[in-house]
Amino acid sequence: MPAPSLDTIANLAKKRGFVFQSSEIYGGLRSAYDYGPLGVELLRNVKEQWWKAMVRERGDIVGLDSAVLQARQVWVASGHEAEFTDPLVECTNCNNRFRVDKLEDASLCPNCGQRDTFTEPRQFNLLFTTHMGPVEDEGAKVYLRPETAQGIFINYENVRRTSRLKLPFGIAQIGKAFRNEITPGQFVFRTREFEQMEMEYFCHPSESADWYEYWQKARLAWYVDLGLPAESVRLREHEQDELSHYSTGTSDVEFQFPWGWDELEGIANRTDFDLKQHTEHSGTDLRYYDQEADERFFPHVIEPAAGATRTTFAFLIAAYDEEEVRGETRTVLRLDKRLAPIKVAVLPLSKKDELIPDTEAVAVALRSRWAVEVDVTQAIGRRYRRQDEIGTPYCVTIDFDTLEDRAVTIRDRDTMAQDRVAIDQVPGYLAERLP
Ligand code: GAP
């Protein structure tokens, strides 16, 4: 089927409890979103898969969870206070503001359609400011972190020393980041509060080109392995004039969103920029000492930096499918089983009392291993449709024959094929098919 529209995904996300507008009952807060019961499971599964691939399955990468609030000097040293800006223009006719580098036509207002009504571009800093303590003066000013990366750099020496890792090694972190984006939009694609999954890989400067290559391939493969179609993801090398102030090379992993190719993740060669900056600004020597070579140097850093919320959105879009089944349209989320928010639905054929004890017993037997939902109301066909729409790989149905033959029907989301399985074999049957 053709790619779903943004509205189709946003409507499904809201209708089924994946994503809600923040502060909806107060009219909604633009560009912030809340993840509902299914959204939070999906987001957690995406983050879990990233953590597994980037930390648990490797011996050379460890994790970190640093504070959102950090010393203001961190952001001076990193360059964010001075340079983390986007060019902003305002339309003098309708007073709407835009990021000039994202406008399709730099002289045409996309809101009111007037031409040549923009002010001169000015650099707008994206840092969110707040104050520590009771006095709101310049000295108490702190920022909400705009990326998780700096928390890693300022802990580089703590982690190296305590984990006794030798180069090359990485430090990974998942967490919230905040940016006062000029033009948030496209649902959860660009928001002012979002979650990142970042890893800083420290290596000898002579090896940085190889590791840059390595991480581009590894990261692209991760998305495909988890279900983004190979033809919908690509690597795009940044042009020289696109590079951030800290980078000598960056490749984006891009996904074909409903509006076209756009960024999921940036893989950057940050050289020794950050460790040098923090050494200079903090006075702490962050050079690495290689005992064998008797060499002291600043490691170079390769950084795969992904958005957890944006990536979750891409998995949702890629999973969406519609097909004709007996003259009706079936909507199905073909999420990879590792990502599916609910792994098994347990459904009594009717809500008659005699089916409930077996329904509950089956659910209890499965809950310790998988996310299980019990759904009792509505006709069974409608309940199957709902489970298809939220991507549940298996539905276990308890019917009146179960009372006699002690067996249940297990339906596969993708093929809709049904197997009759003895109740005591259900955990084993599912264990062969589910992560
Ligand atoms: N430490 C480098 C860094 O933060 P970035 O390209 O600015 O690099 C990394 O951000 C990833 O974070 C992006 O590829 C995107 O997936 C996600 N991201 C950035 N800004 C975002 C926003 N406003 N809303 C949602 N995700 C965002």
Side-chain angles (χ1 to χ4, degrees), residues 115-225:
R115 205 168 265 289
D116 299 323
T117 50
F118 287 137
T119 54
E120 279 300 304
R122 74 176 167 90
Q123 291 302 321
F124 174 77
N125 193 294
L126 307 187
L127 290 171
F128 269 104
T129 305
T130 185
H131 294 88
M132 277 267 209
V135 185
E136 291 202 1
D137 63 9
E138 193 61 17
K141 187 166 154 182
V142 287
Y143 301 114
L144 301 188
R145 68 178 176 201
E147 61 173 23
T148 59
Q150 295 304 320
I152 296 178
F153 294 123
I154 60 174
N155 279 291
Y156 161 77
E157 188 52 21
N158 285 337
V159 174
R160 189 204 63 74
R161 195 183 58 248
T162 52
S163 57
R164 296 183 298 139
L165 285 163
K166 291 199 165 47
L167 290 186
F169 72 87
I171 306 176
Q173 166 154 235
I174 297 177
K176 291 258 182 174
F178 304 83
R179 297 182 187 178
N180 200 3
E181 300 280 2
I182 299 168
T183 42
Q186 271 120 341
F187 195 40
V188 292
F189 178 81
R190 182 173 290 105
T191 51
R192 293 189 170 120
E193 174 178 344
F194 55 98
E195 246 180 309
Q196 289 188 310
M197 309 185 285
E198 297 198 285
M199 194 276 290
E200 309 300 326
Y201 200 73
F202 301 90
C203 62
H204 191 277
S206 63
E207 294 180 351
S208 69
D210 288 347
W211 283 114
Y212 180 51
E213 278 285 313
Y214 170 90
W215 282 112
Q216 288 177 61
K217 288 195 189 119
R219 292 304 305 146
L220 186 68
W222 183 83
Y223 290 98
V224 176
D225 176 55

Side-chain angles (χ1 to χ4, degrees), residues 67-133:
V68 167
L69 300 176
Q70 295 162 25
R72 183 173 165 188
Q73 294 95 304
V74 171
W75 308 106
V76 175
S78 68
H80 284 81
E81 193 177 89
E83 291 180 58
F84 194 51
T85 57
D86 279 334
L88 176 145
V89 289
E90 185 170 337
C91 172
T92 51
N93 183 53
C94 68
N95 295 330
N96 270 281
R97 297 190 174 102
F98 304 95
R99 231 178 103 171
V100 74
D101 58 328
K102 294 281 174 193
L103 286 172
E104 266 178 34
D105 179 337
S107 65
L108 180 70
C109 176
N111 184 56
C112 66
Q114 294 290 308
R115 205 168 265 289
D116 299 323
T117 50
F118 287 137
T119 54
E120 279 300 304
R122 74 176 167 90
Q123 291 302 321
F124 174 77
N125 193 294
L126 307 187
L127 290 171
F128 269 104
T129 305
T130 185
H131 294 88
M132 277 267 209

